[in-house]
Amino acid sequence: MGHFHVAELAVAFWMAKDFHTRFTCVYNGKPGDGGNVLSHNIWTEENVVFTIILIITYFLSPVGLTIYFLATRTYFQQFAASQPINWRNPQNLKIKKIVSAVDYRLLFKRTIRFDDSLPDNLRTFYRFIRGLIGGFLGFIVLGFYAIYIVYCLIFHRKKTSAIENSPRWPPASVRAHTIESFWHSIITPIENRDWLWKVKSYWLQICTFILFAPNGENPFALFRAMQHDFAESLGEESTAGFFPFGDGVGVANYKYVKAYLQSRDPLIMKDFQTIGWSVSSSLIKYCESNHIFLPNPSHPMPDHHLLSRKIIHQWLAAFPHTLKNLHDSCSERNTATYRYLTRIVPRHPKSEANKEMIYLAVGETLFFLATGGSLTSDERDAYLDCVKNPFTFLPDWFNFLVAGHYKENIGYESYGKFQAAFARHAQGPALQAAFEAAGGKLSKSEVIRLVTMAFCLGAAPAPAKLTADIVHRLWSDQSDEILAGQDAYKQEKMVDLFYENPRNFIKESARLYTVLPMVSVLSNARIANDVKTHTGADLPANTRIHCSLTDANRDPNEFTSPDEFNPRRSAIELGKIITWNGVESDIEGKNKELRPPRYCPGHDLSILVMKFVASRFAPVMISRNQESQRSMQVNGIELMSLNSLVKPKLYVENSLSDGKSRHPDDEESEIVIVIRELYTRTHLDVKTEKYYLSSLDGYTRLIIELSKLALKGWNAKPPRAIDIAEPCNLPTQDLHLKRVDCARYVATWDEDDQNRWHCHTKLVNKILNSAFWPLEDHELQFNSIDDMIAWRWKHFPSMPSPNNPQWCGDSDDLMSRFAFFGLACHHTRKLDPGMESMELHTATLTHSILKSAHYVNDMTALSLFAVRAPFDRYGAAAYFDRERRLIGIYLSHRDELVMPMSHSCGLDNDWTYAKYMWRSSALAEVTIRDHLLTTHFIESNTLTNVSRQFLPAAHPLRIFLKPFTYRTVTINYSAATSLVNAGGLCHRIWGFEYDEFVKLCDYVIAHYRFRTMPDWIPDNMKLKKNQQNNYEKENVNNHVIGENNEKSEHNQNNKVHETNGVSDKNQSEEWVKHYPIAEDLPAFWNIVRDYVRRFFEIEYGKEESKEEEKKGTMKSERTFMIEPCERRFIAELCKPLGLDGIPSRAHLIDVITQLMCACTGIHEHVGHVGDYLFDPSFIGTKLRRDLPSLLPSVQNYSLMLVLTVLTAMKMPGLMEDWSHLIPRVATDNHEDKLPSIITEEQVKSHLDNYYLFKHQLTERMEKIDKRHRMPDTFPFQSFNPSFMECSVSV
Ligand code: HEM
Ligand SMILES: [Fe+2]
């Protein structure tokens, strides 16, 4: 039989080779990982499939081969490479290295453990074996412990008396026995300690550990019980809080804890930061050079730790951002801090956030304050690990038992990631200050490691967990049941206490929840004396003394009712709290010399950060004064009215203002909305909810759950700009384009989402699109709008808060707003007087009332397409007079002109219906045409696919465009497979027959004409056409077609109007007030265009004007876009956009600018539909004239909300920092340096260009904010850069 297997091996070998040469799915690149590794041993789904085939081949080669051949024709076909791949060295296809800013020397890691020095494979093997042995021994130990429990239960049963609140596990008799034997072990004089003693002491440590572990989160009860048991075993009333614990003696008494921790007596040695056991020896080594947590008496410089403290203090003092005085002044720095932080820590006012979200908020805030940068997704995972993984603090023997140091190793990897994260910011002020403080005594990499240590050990677990505890406290009296009664609003709540004095609230929480339960010192004569007084035993020298902060903070001799949470304690008592390794009143003392010697340097910082984060996650607080009491009685609908919004009667305490004047950027609207919801929300009782649920079809139910899941995962860790990796050039450059109905071509391979295991998403798609779920339109309606809000609150908790909360109600006024500020405002145009006939489906202007029509918003295009019974076709146009008042609505497919009640004899219902119909047609048309098809499937798709396919990864333009294409492939692909497909979300939400929907898409795509953004608004609505003065200002639209580009330099930043007369300025200001898009849209365009133009100037030099060219003053710079790949890129760009060619540089700049704007500004404008769905009666997607109510059905409302929450999946913000993508000149001596085309000067110019771009965007943002602060301004946020994302989301 043997020879057969040899043959099969050969076949398998051939197969593997064949597979590796032919299919790109074998390889998986991780471009972000510093080394740009391209590997082919990652278990992706495809590799698993192939391996299964291989195994089959080995056992049954004919079958295996057949399956393989079939698979290459079907399943693997989509991954076929265009050229054979050099499978032994796929690195030849790898990315040219883009050197990031990190100095590699700073990443130096110490080898702290034996296995660190082993080569990779050996190390894995070693760890594996060690893990097996450790795990095995761990089980044996647990077995012994079980025997021990039985032993204690039998022989020591009656030893203890019960005390209240004693922890349930382990049994009291086990505890008592452990303590008793332990005490004997500890007081054994050193000379009597033999190996037997040692074994026994380890065993007892294990026993205490097992006692401690289940009570780790809140060990207070355990500590109390242990003290009680101990006193009892000695036959005494009490032992003044001394008790055997861990590997030494615990101290519970406030008096002693304070004395030991704050002693300046040099004989009291501070010991490693521990909970009761010695820390792992690797941690000691890891900290060796810096001594932060441990003054080492045997070190050549015993007071080395003072230097470390100095470095940390200076580092903290030099943070580039601070939360202190955040609201005192609006200086630029504060605003920048605030802007960034409010973005990365979005308010979570509806429900208690989950713990991980809070942890990450604390970590990201701290890291941002320290560096001004953000954490990558990997680093955020590392932070969570630092918070949750205490294993580096645990002794070696214990770590060994946990699968051979398995968890500990993960901990060190996290520290390494943070070291790299800090190294990215080595040039920042904080680290520079730290380097300086080190004064040459520590090397730079040592300082970075010290800072990393302080961050990972100090700034991770304690503040994160404490904040989560505070937030939990804030929500503890907010549950649905409590809030159900109206009276509940009158009672004082935790939130009220919090805002009354956040610092005290935090301190009091920290008193009861000491995250760090114990701090250790080593015993000296004085301590031994204390112990002897109370227990009668002699303590050997240098025994570990574990000062229990937990107990000290609840000492009844110091605090009145110590177990009660009371932030209104007297200042004296609050000053006694001893959580930050020192007494509060001493830590906050003015005189730095007199502060406790080892108090936590992060004290102030952590309180500020916790205050900030807690206020972001706090429920909203409503002041309980007379007036607000009254306004609470108002019924829900009335509160929905516009009036109560603009001038909210409810006084809202703002999180950070501390009662002082309000910071201009506080998002009041967000709070107002939540309050509105809180009051309008009725409690949806179980029966009604069931009733609604039962009316849903399977598809809707499934997709509600799925969207909930997806959102939860996504929002917990949304991508940040720093996560955008440099482009990569894997063999999969082909992108694997796929043709889909309604969407032309979409790519299926995304360099930004190389999900190892995308099986589940595919599966979900398959299930959703399967025939299980026939398309059914269910009619059941909600009983009331209140129910709709309650439903939304319950099932769509992640519904984003609107940027503009005013789309409520359906007054005619609001309709005018909708036409001039809403998502379809770019379709509103002036009617030219002489115009006889309008387009295809609009009313003839002969109707008398329309004589006065001055503007129209024509949303009739969709009336061409048939809908399912019993719905009405879409299509309506709204007419406005010169004062922009709504005067009539034309319903195109009935050819009917509806007028407001006063003008027509029809029923009021008709008018309401017409308005609703027009709004809904606008939503349908804008969403399907402008958003899905134009922005997603044409423009963003083109930018992404063409740049990825035809520009090599290291091409500057490809890198430049990268942020604007981030994850676009994934987004568009999922839109193609779950939105626009048959039975997809769009098909279900809107009423079209699927055939008609396909036709509609074809129609839109066929009618697509490339326009630059300024032309998105009709000519006669532009700013220049609406200034009285006929001053010719051609360059208002700084764009190409037919214009001389040089002029544009004169009018950057919208300073256009300054030269014009005052009246002109007023005129245009007036117009902007009525039609803000006329200003915002070209202004945004100009900023982006300038950014692109400057980019090309840096790369290819300034464009020579014709004369200079003739004179022959051509510079030596590269010729503009002349390389074959560049030419190809341009040619390919034209195809999907329907352009005949791009004749000049200015044209190219325009096209690229337009595509970038589509992904950012336009996408925000047409894609942010959540605002319009906030009032459930505002807009709909299916029209029924035959029903009395216009409200969407339960099913349809749910589907609309699914679409909305999907759009809430955030992409990195446009204002975030992606400067890491700008290639640098190599500083390291790695071999593959960048091609020398990049010079220092160019790097600097690129950075400058980038910062200028950001600066201009910030100015824009401020300008828009300023406009909104003016009285009676209706918000228009579509082109506000602070809301934009840098690439398209759903
Ligand atoms: C709620 C928040 C915090 C609490 C309750 C807390 C508590 C403590 C405690 C009890 C110690 C003494 C530990 C020991 O020596 O065994 C300590 C030390 C320390 N903490 Fe914090 N800490 C907090 C936040 C921070 C933050 C945000 C940072 C810094 C960035 C920080 C940096 C440090 C450092 C560097 C030490 C070592 C000081 C030394 O050994 O001399 N801590 N902290
Ligand atoms: Fe979108």
Side-chain angles (χ1 to χ4, degrees), residues 54-118:
L54 257 189
I55 294 171
I56 297 174
T57 313
Y58 185 70
F59 289 110
L60 254 178
S61 55
V63 178
L65 267 179
T66 320
I67 299 179
Y68 179 67
F69 275 117
L70 285 179
T72 55
R73 298 279 179 286
T74 54
Y75 180 68
F76 292 126
Q77 186 56 46
Q78 50 179 323
F79 302 104
S82 39
Q83 288 171 358
I85 303 167
N86 178 355
W87 71 288
R88 281 185 197 281
N89 180 21
Q91 300 293 332
N92 60 350
L93 294 147
K94 97 177 185 189
I95 321 156
K96 279 243 174 55
K97 193 149 169 257
I98 295 162
V99 181
S100 51
V102 172
D103 180 348
Y104 286 87
R105 280 161 302 186
L106 298 179
L107 293 184
F108 172 73
K109 287 188 195 132
R110 282 171 56 85
T111 43
I112 46 175
R113 290 155 303 172
F114 157 70
D115 45 328
D116 286 341
S117 50
L118 297 178

Side-chain angles (χ1 to χ4, degrees), residues 748-981:
T748 55
W749 189 84
D750 192 351
E751 63 185 34
D752 301 315
D753 180 29
Q754 301 170 19
N755 210 329
R756 305 272 168 83
W757 194 262
H758 34 90
C759 199
H760 57 279
T761 35
K762 274 192 208 157
L763 190 70
V764 165
N765 253 335
K766 285 229 170 77
I767 295 177
L768 275 179
N769 295 334
S770 66
F772 289 142
W773 325 105
L775 187 120
E776 299 159 273
D777 295 307
H778 289 239
E779 293 300 318
L780 185 89
Q781 291 221 330
F782 287 99
N783 296 333
S784 66
I785 294 189
D786 284 359
D787 274 7
M788 297 175 95
I789 294 178
W791 176 261
R792 177 173 72 203
W793 189 287
K794 180 91 196 277
H795 292 284
F796 299 89
S798 39
M799 172 90 177
S801 284
N803 296 342
N804 175 359
Q806 307 219 7
W807 301 117
C808 293
D810 81 333
S811 70
D812 291 5
D813 269 354
L814 193 66
M815 293 310 98
S816 305
R817 301 293 199 188
F818 188 70
F820 289 86
F821 294 75
L823 87 169
C825 70
H826 55 284
H827 291 294
T828 304
R829 66 168 184 269
K830 253 182 214 168
L831 289 166
D832 285 331
M835 193 186 262
E836 273 291 299
S837 73
M838 298 283 303
E839 279 160 27
L840 211 48
H841 315 285
T842 26
T844 46
L845 290 172
T846 49
H847 201 287
S848 64
I849 180 79
L850 291 188
K851 288 256 161 31
S852 63
H854 196 69
Y855 301 97
V856 65
N857 180 281
D858 180 358
M859 290 289 124
T860 54
L862 295 185
S863 62
L864 283 176
F865 301 96
V867 289
R868 306 192 280 273
F871 305 118
D872 246 10
R873 284 201 191 208
Y874 303 92
Y879 292 87
F880 302 85
D881 65 11
R882 191 173 281 278
E883 267 64 57
R884 294 171 301 280
R885 280 182 302 243
L886 180 61
I887 51 174
I889 291 174
Y890 172 72
L891 306 182
S892 57
H893 103 275
R894 290 168 187 247
D895 191 17
E896 175 182 351
L897 187 67
V898 186
M899 263 151 323
M901 242 204 319
S902 50
H903 296 290
S904 74
C905 45
L907 291 168
D908 182 32
N909 207 22
D910 281 346
W911 181 234
T912 315
Y913 176 78
K915 288 191 285 186
Y916 187 74
M917 156 89 161
W918 166 63
R919 292 191 302 257
S920 304
S921 302
L923 177 76
E925 192 172 328
V926 170
T927 305
I928 297 172
R929 189 170 85 182
D930 295 343
H931 180 198
L932 265 176
L933 294 167
T934 309
T935 304
H936 276 272
F937 289 137
I938 301 181
E939 301 196 339
S940 74
N941 212 17
T942 304
L943 183 70
T944 311
N945 295 352
V946 175
S947 70
R948 288 186 184 181
Q949 266 185 305
F950 302 104
L951 292 177
H955 193 282
L957 184 59
R958 168 103 180 260
I959 302 168
F960 177 79
L961 292 175
K962 175 77 201 199
F964 305 96
T965 66
Y966 179 67
R967 287 184 78 94
T968 302
V969 169
T970 312
I971 296 287
N972 284 350
Y973 180 66
S974 43
T977 49
S978 49
L979 291 186
V980 298
N981 53 325

Side-chain angles (χ1 to χ4, degrees), residues 270-274 291-294 305 309 312 315-316 319 366 454-455 457-460 462-464 466 510 515-516 518-520 549 578-582 597-603 605-607 610:
K270 166 82 184 55
D271 202 15
F272 310 118
Q273 184 185 31
T274 78
H291 283 232
I292 180 70
F293 292 101
L294 31 138
H305 68 280
R309 277 185 77 91
I312 294 295
W315 171 66
L316 285 164
F319 274 13
L366 277 163
F455 196 88
L457 307 185
L466 190 50
V515 195
L516 228 70
M518 290 183 150
V519 174
S520 311
L549 304 181
I578 189 164
T579 300
W580 279 267
N581 211 22
R598 299 302 298 271
Y599 80 93
C600 167
H603 173 264
L605 171 71
S606 57
I607 292 187
M610 290 193 287

